Amino acid sequence: STSAFIFDLDGVIVDTAKYHYLAWKKLANELGFEFTKEQNELFKGVSRKRCLEILLDIGGITASQEDFDRWMVEKNEDYLEYIEKMDASEILPDVPKVLNFLKQKNIPIALGSASKNARPILEKVNLLSYFDAIVDGNDVTKAKPDPEVFLIAARKLNVAPEKCLVFEDAVAGIQAANNANMISVGIGDALVLSEADHNFNDFTEMSLDFLEGLMST
Ligand code: B16
Ligand code: MG
């Protein structure tokens, strides 16, 4: 039975993808090319470094190590300006309902995110206190679909991976959960997240009975 729950951040708890997009687009434009919303889809769940590599590929730009490092910093500084203005109104629908339900039942909750900014974001939207463990881009050496981020989360919660469930919005994240032998729940387009064990467009479509069922079987 499921005894712990692990949440991805961007696309599951908050929609920070739109801020990542604006910051990457600004950099692309400065470098003289366009970066579309469709292309931004490729960036979901992917590390900052890998995102910049893909972006430069799109623009056909070869960068020196110095340029590369400077653009990483620049993108993050722009992104942080958006984060600075975030508040609880940006929490995705019914996320607090699910978190409160799990808390009431004394179920351990972890965050498993590729972002190095996960902690400040949770603080901004006032959800930090719900999490018994936070594993983010500062803790991992291998990116999703590698299971590392979720396996560290399970270990921190002291729960066996098979007893953990992961909520994810990115294909690589669902694969990471599956690779960790955890139950994977796709939040978003079921056609895109077809490898997930269960699918919901968002948390408003997932009943608490569904969670209760997983916890008791
Ligand atoms: P940062 P998640 C991921 O968050 C985002 O989906 C991805 O677009 C971003 O590049 C990555 O975090 C790194 O973020 O630049 O803040 O370290 O979905 O794994 O919560
Ligand atoms: Mg995500």
Side-chain angles (χ1 to χ4, degrees), residues 53-216:
E53 287 167 1
I54 302 172
L55 191 84
L56 295 177
D57 237 31
I58 292 171
I61 288 175
T62 336
S64 66
Q65 189 61 53
E66 202 191 349
D67 284 340
F68 193 96
D69 295 344
R70 187 162 42 85
W71 293 335
M72 286 265 283
V73 170
E74 199 181 306
K75 183 270 169 179
N76 195 51
E77 281 173 354
D78 289 331
Y79 178 65
L80 288 176
E81 276 186 37
Y82 292 109
I83 298 314
E84 194 52 43
K85 294 173 205 132
M86 283 183 87
D87 61 31
S89 69
E90 297 205 38
I91 299 169
L92 289 170
D94 276 4
V95 168
K97 182 179 105 178
V98 174
L99 289 173
N100 281 322
F101 171 78
L102 296 173
K103 266 279 156 262
Q104 258 169 33
K105 302 237 160 213
N106 262 313
I107 302 285
I109 305 172
L111 190 85
S113 166
S115 174
K116 295 187 171 176
N117 298 302
R119 246 171 221 280
I121 293 170
L122 285 180
E123 255 167 47
K124 276 280 165 199
V125 301
N126 235 320
L127 290 180
L128 193 58
S129 62
Y130 284 93
F131 292 86
D132 302 293
I134 291 177
V135 185
D136 63 24
N138 302 296
D139 305 303
V140 297
T141 55
K142 286 167 266 170
K144 302 168 186 176
D146 191 283
E148 185 183 25
V149 62
F150 296 139
L151 291 174
I152 297 176
R155 202 171 59 219
K156 281 195 173 183
L157 294 178
N158 216 358
V159 174
E162 310 80 64
K163 290 181 168 288
C164 295
L165 178 149
V166 174
F167 294 113
E168 256 289 350
D169 72 311
V171 175
I174 293 294
Q175 291 168 339
N178 293 341
N179 289 337
N181 258 318
M182 298 178 176
I183 296 171
S184 55
V185 178
I187 302 295
D189 191 335
L191 293 173
V192 176
L193 306 174
S194 59
E195 291 170 58
D197 295 320
H198 305 274
N199 291 90
F200 300 98
N201 279 314
D202 57 42
F203 284 111
T204 67
E205 292 193 353
M206 189 190 74
S207 71
L208 296 178
D209 285 348
F210 166 78
L211 292 183
E212 197 120 45
L214 288 171
M215 281 150 53
S216 59

Side-chain angles (χ1 to χ4, degrees), residues 8-12 44-45 144 168-170:
D8 174 49
L9 179 65
D10 177 27
V12 169
K44 292 191 173 169
K144 302 168 186 176
E168 256 289 350
D169 72 311

